[in-house]
Amino acid sequence: MSVTTGRPAKGIGALRVRFAALAREIAKFGVVGALGVLVNFAVFNLMRHGTDLQVVRASVIATVVAIVFNYVGFRYFTYRDRDKSGRAKELTLFLLFSVVGLVIENGVLYAATYWFHWDSSLQSNIFKFLGMGLATLFRFWSYRTWVFRALPAKEAVASAESFLDDPTPPVTRLK
């Protein structure tokens, strides 16, 4: 939609509008994600240094806490304008893709810790961060594609508005 006319944008303008919307979505995803990273690292380091849990177990607990935090942030901030019907399906898909992300994130940490014996506090945090980065790429794609889907009504309205804005008489369009 054009900001000035309220009509659907066409050509380069439409591309610019879609790019701006994607940039806003990435920024909002990034804000929630950055806060989730802080929660994840805080819980991880508290669990690692405040308990006798093994590194990967502490990381899994931290990741689960961050997943809960992120769901609330994504649903009520990043994707608040998305389809809200079917919350059970949304939550199920979110948890499914989050578990895949958890495996990616903690798989990197597991490999570093148990295969390569890189298990100092600094090394654990570095490999947890690398795992989070890989998992974040997967989560961004899966959440926006499958979990928090755009409402199809916006596209239908834009299509209808473009039909109404066409100056060509209806009889001419049919030829």
Side-chain angles (χ1 to χ4, degrees):
M1 286 288 197
S2 170
V3 176
T4 56
T5 65
R7 296 180 181 149
K10 296 179 182 176
I12 297 294
L15 184 60
R16 205 173 307 154
V17 168
R18 290 184 73 192
F19 181 74
L22 180 62
R24 279 191 303 279
E25 180 182 344
I26 290 170
K28 287 180 175 183
F29 188 91
V31 167
V32 172
L35 292 172
V37 166
L38 292 176
V39 167
N40 199 330
F41 273 113
V43 172
F44 172 64
N45 284 294
L46 283 171
M47 298 294 294
R48 177 129 196 259
H49 300 292
T51 68
D52 292 333
L53 285 176
Q54 295 175 342
V55 173
V56 176
R57 287 185 184 165
S59 180
V60 168
I61 291 169
T63 304
V64 169
V65 171
I67 286 170
V68 171
F69 176 87
N70 286 346
Y71 177 77
V72 172
F74 291 141
R75 167 43 52 215
Y76 297 104
F77 177 66
T78 305
Y79 298 113
R80 70 175 175 250
D81 62 333
R82 300 288 175 100
D83 187 8
K84 291 178 181 73
S85 64
R87 284 279 173 99
K89 180 181 177 187
E90 173 187 286
L91 186 56
T92 301
L93 288 171
F94 182 85
L95 291 174
L96 172 72
F97 292 122
S98 292
V99 167
V100 172
L102 180 145
V103 170
I104 293 168
E105 175 182 330
N106 291 292
V108 170
L109 181 61
Y110 180 91
T113 302
Y114 296 109
W115 295 352
F116 299 104
H117 304 290
W118 295 329
D119 57 358
S120 73
S121 185
L122 178 62
Q123 289 169 327
S124 293
N125 279 286
I126 289 170
F127 287 102
K128 181 159 181 63
F129 185 77
L130 286 173
M132 279 182 184
L134 292 173
T136 297
L137 293 173
F138 169 78
R139 287 177 179 133
F140 178 73
W141 170 79
S142 63
Y143 293 166
R144 79 181 306 267
T145 304
W146 300 103
V147 180
F148 301 107
R149 298 180 64 115
L151 288 170
K154 288 182 181 180
E155 295 167 10
V157 169
S159 161
E161 287 176 349
S162 68
F163 177 78
L164 294 172
D165 292 337
D166 189 355
T168 311
V171 175
T172 309
R173 273 182 274 174
L174 294 175
K175 292 181 182 179

